[in-house]
Amino acid sequence: MHAVEKIFARHSGRREVSAGEIVTARVDFAEINDLYLQTIYSFYEMGGEKVWDREKCAFVFDHYAPTPDVRSAGNHRQMREFARKNQLKYHFDTNCGVCHQVMPEAGLIRPGMIVVATDSHTTTHGAFGAVGTGCGATDMAAVLMTGEMWFRVPEVIEVRLEGETKKGVYPKDVILAVLGKIRADGAVYKAIDFTGSYVEGLNVAGRMVICNMAVEMGAKTAYMQPNQEVLSYVNARCSCPYEVETTDPGYVYGERYLFDVSALEPQLACPSSVENVRPLPEVAAEKEVRVDQGYIGSCTGGREEDLAAAAAILKGKHIPPYTRLVVVPASREVMLAAMEKGYLKDLMEAGATVATPGCGACLGAHEGILAPGEVCISSTNRNFPGRMGSTEAQIYLASPAAVAASILNGRITDPRTCL
């Protein structure tokens, strides 16, 4: 079996499972973000009284942090009351950050887990050798009641990433290149196993970027065999026991893709689809694409490494008049580290607006939403019409370094020219 299948087998009390089977599996941790107040309503409508385990579920207030309107404030109030009533051990309020960042930081994500959350980008936790997947409010309500959820065991496909990237090419560029080939519907309800020498050498942040965007290909979950850096990260934050599953020798994947990352240039997902990927230098050479806003943040592009890359480009410089750069750290921990190391100071002196850790404008709610006709280059993970505000705005997706270089020059720019 594949490691993902072994995780499903162990959590469903079976010796083995195979792709296509329906299993009822034990959930190790459940997370509800502040978009999903309906989870509470469904919980009570289905006869729920108390959550199955107060130490294995949490609310994370990240999409509306802090609340931008009366309705979201009301949602937060009801969620806080539910958390208080159930005496939840973990509750991440508006001072914490994005769910996919704060849960690993809190030591809640470990290899071999099944993690479900009311957010599609829960695939991020494959970076730790866990099975992470999103679900809706009704399924989550059932999880809160029972600690279990049904799954169809996904077919596993391999995306092998070999080689070393050149200077100025980042994990975001790698996953955009993969997306451009496999496309937005190329892995629907499948598990993507990212393998190869590039993955083996990746740090935790890089792994999270790549697994995060697996869902943009339709994947049910993502997986990476934990390396020593992952295990050190987990061990430093968690004392709980865990199991690292391995894939059996000779396992046959449903599909296999091979990428030589050493040949990659910086990539750009052009409006208005995440699969509309082209080499950034090619786009820049064709025409001058003026940008009104740069955006660095989210569960894909708001980690310490991302802020460091942007600060290295912008330190001692200043963005042009009538443009703006919005920086939203992925978590409080990231923000504090960036403050201590001077990254936020460098970015603010370059003209950046630094906002509260959380999702911000990534979902088009607040903290940098776009007006009709505006162009934004963003380190986030989606660029369909209306994602960051007006349906008449245009969003380009790129690495944080490319965002910094582009807003500095006022147009789409190869970050390698600024390094």
Side-chain angles (χ1 to χ4, degrees):
M1 291 189 293
H2 188 274
V4 167
E5 294 170 334
K6 291 181 179 181
I7 293 171
F8 277 116
R10 176 160 49 82
H11 284 72
S12 57
R14 300 175 60 173
R15 292 184 61 186
E16 61 181 43
V17 299
S18 57
E21 289 187 86
I22 304 294
V23 299
T24 298
R26 169 176 51 86
V27 169
D28 292 301
F29 202 87
E31 178 268 320
I32 308 98
N33 69 39
D34 50 353
L35 289 177
Y36 281 83
L37 178 63
Q38 179 61 44
T39 300
I40 296 175
Y41 297 158
S42 296
F43 179 84
Y44 288 128
E45 288 167 4
M46 294 162 62
E49 295 180 359
K50 286 283 187 178
V51 299
W52 99 99
D53 191 326
R54 58 174 289 272
E55 297 188 4
K56 294 184 178 180
C57 52
F59 287 102
V60 180
F61 295 170
D62 54 3
H63 286 67
Y64 300 116
T67 50
D69 52 45
V70 174
R71 182 176 180 179
S72 57
N75 290 358
H76 279 197
R77 180 179 180 180
Q78 293 180 69
M79 288 177 165
R80 288 190 187 100
E81 290 173 352
F82 185 90
R84 187 181 298 113
K85 179 180 178 181
N86 285 274
Q87 298 180 305
L88 299 188
K89 181 177 180 180
Y90 302 102
H91 175 71
F92 301 94
D93 218 292
T94 57
N95 61 326
C96 294
V98 184
C99 58
H100 311 304
Q101 183 70 18
V102 301
M103 290 198 297
E105 289 176 350
L108 299 177
I109 307 300
R110 305 177 295 278
M113 294 180 74
I114 291 182
V115 182
V116 296
T118 54
D119 193 288
S120 58
H121 292 106
T122 310
T123 56
T124 303
H125 304 305
F128 300 93
V131 168
T133 192
C135 71
T138 305
D139 280 334
M140 180 56 76
V143 172
L144 293 183
M145 292 173 65
T146 67
E148 296 180 333
M149 183 171 165
W150 72 271
F151 299 88
R152 176 161 58 87
V153 179
E155 176 187 338
V156 185
I157 65 176
E158 180 186 31
V159 173
R160 179 168 288 274
L161 306 172
E162 297 287 359
E164 295 184 11
T165 52
K166 300 172 183 175
K167 185 177 182 180
V169 177
Y170 301 86
K172 181 63 170 287
D173 299 302
V174 173
I175 191 58
L176 286 178
V178 171
L179 259 162
K181 180 173 181 178
I182 298 180
R183 316 293 286 184
D185 60 354
V188 173
Y189 213 103
K190 297 176 182 178
I192 300 180
D193 184 9
F194 293 100
T195 67
S197 58
Y198 177 72
V199 173
E200 291 165 7
L202 262 184
N203 63 12
V204 171
R207 286 170 162 248
M208 293 175 76
V209 170
I210 289 175
C211 287
N212 177 282
M213 295 193 69
V215 74
E216 306 307 332
M217 295 173 271
K220 182 66 175 176
T221 193
Y223 186 82
M224 288 179 175
Q225 189 67 34
N227 61 7
Q228 189 54 53
E229 184 155 346
V230 167
L231 297 179
S232 296
Y233 182 99
V234 171
N235 291 336
R237 295 166 183 267
C238 177
S239 59
C240 300
Y242 57 84
E243 295 186 48
V244 180
E245 300 288 5
T246 58
T247 300
D248 293 333
Y251 177 81
V252 179
Y253 290 95
E255 298 171 69
R256 303 183 74 180
Y257 298 87
L258 174 64
F259 293 84
D260 177 10
V261 303
S262 61
L264 276 184
E265 294 184 294
Q267 303 289 299
L268 191 68
C270 301
S272 291
S273 170
V274 73
E275 69 177 18
N276 185 18
V277 178
R278 297 177 61 194
L280 188 152
E282 183 180 290
V283 175
E286 279 185 6
K287 61 177 181 178
E288 184 176 87
V289 181
R290 307 293 300 180
V291 292
D292 301 291
Q293 175 170 292
Y295 192 92
I296 297 173
S298 86
C299 56
T300 315
R303 299 185 177 88
E304 182 182 335
E305 291 83 350
D306 303 318
L307 304 187
I313 289 173
L314 291 169
K315 184 175 182 177
K317 304 179 179 67
H318 204 282
I319 64 174
Y322 311 113
T323 65
R324 70 256 187 204
L325 171 62
V326 180
V327 176
V328 185
S331 72
R332 177 179 180 271
E333 181 176 308
V334 168
M335 191 170 196
L336 287 171
M339 289 171 63
E340 182 180 346
K341 296 178 180 178
Y343 305 146
L344 293 188
K345 180 176 184 290
D346 293 336
L347 291 168
M348 292 178 71
E349 288 180 346
T353 299
V354 178
T356 307
C359 298
C362 181
L363 74 156
H366 60 151
E367 293 184 343
I369 59 176
L370 302 172
E374 290 192 312
V375 176
C376 177
I377 181 166
S378 174
S379 70
T380 56
N381 44 36
R382 286 179 179 157
N383 65 341
F384 54 76
R387 175 66 181 181
M388 295 181 71
S390 171
T391 57
E392 298 173 39
Q394 292 190 318
I395 307 166
Y396 292 82
L397 303 179
S399 72
V403 173
S406 298
I407 198 65
L408 178 63
N409 289 331
R411 63 184 185 278
I412 299 292
T413 300
D414 187 335
R416 295 174 298 182
T417 63
C418 299
L419 298 176

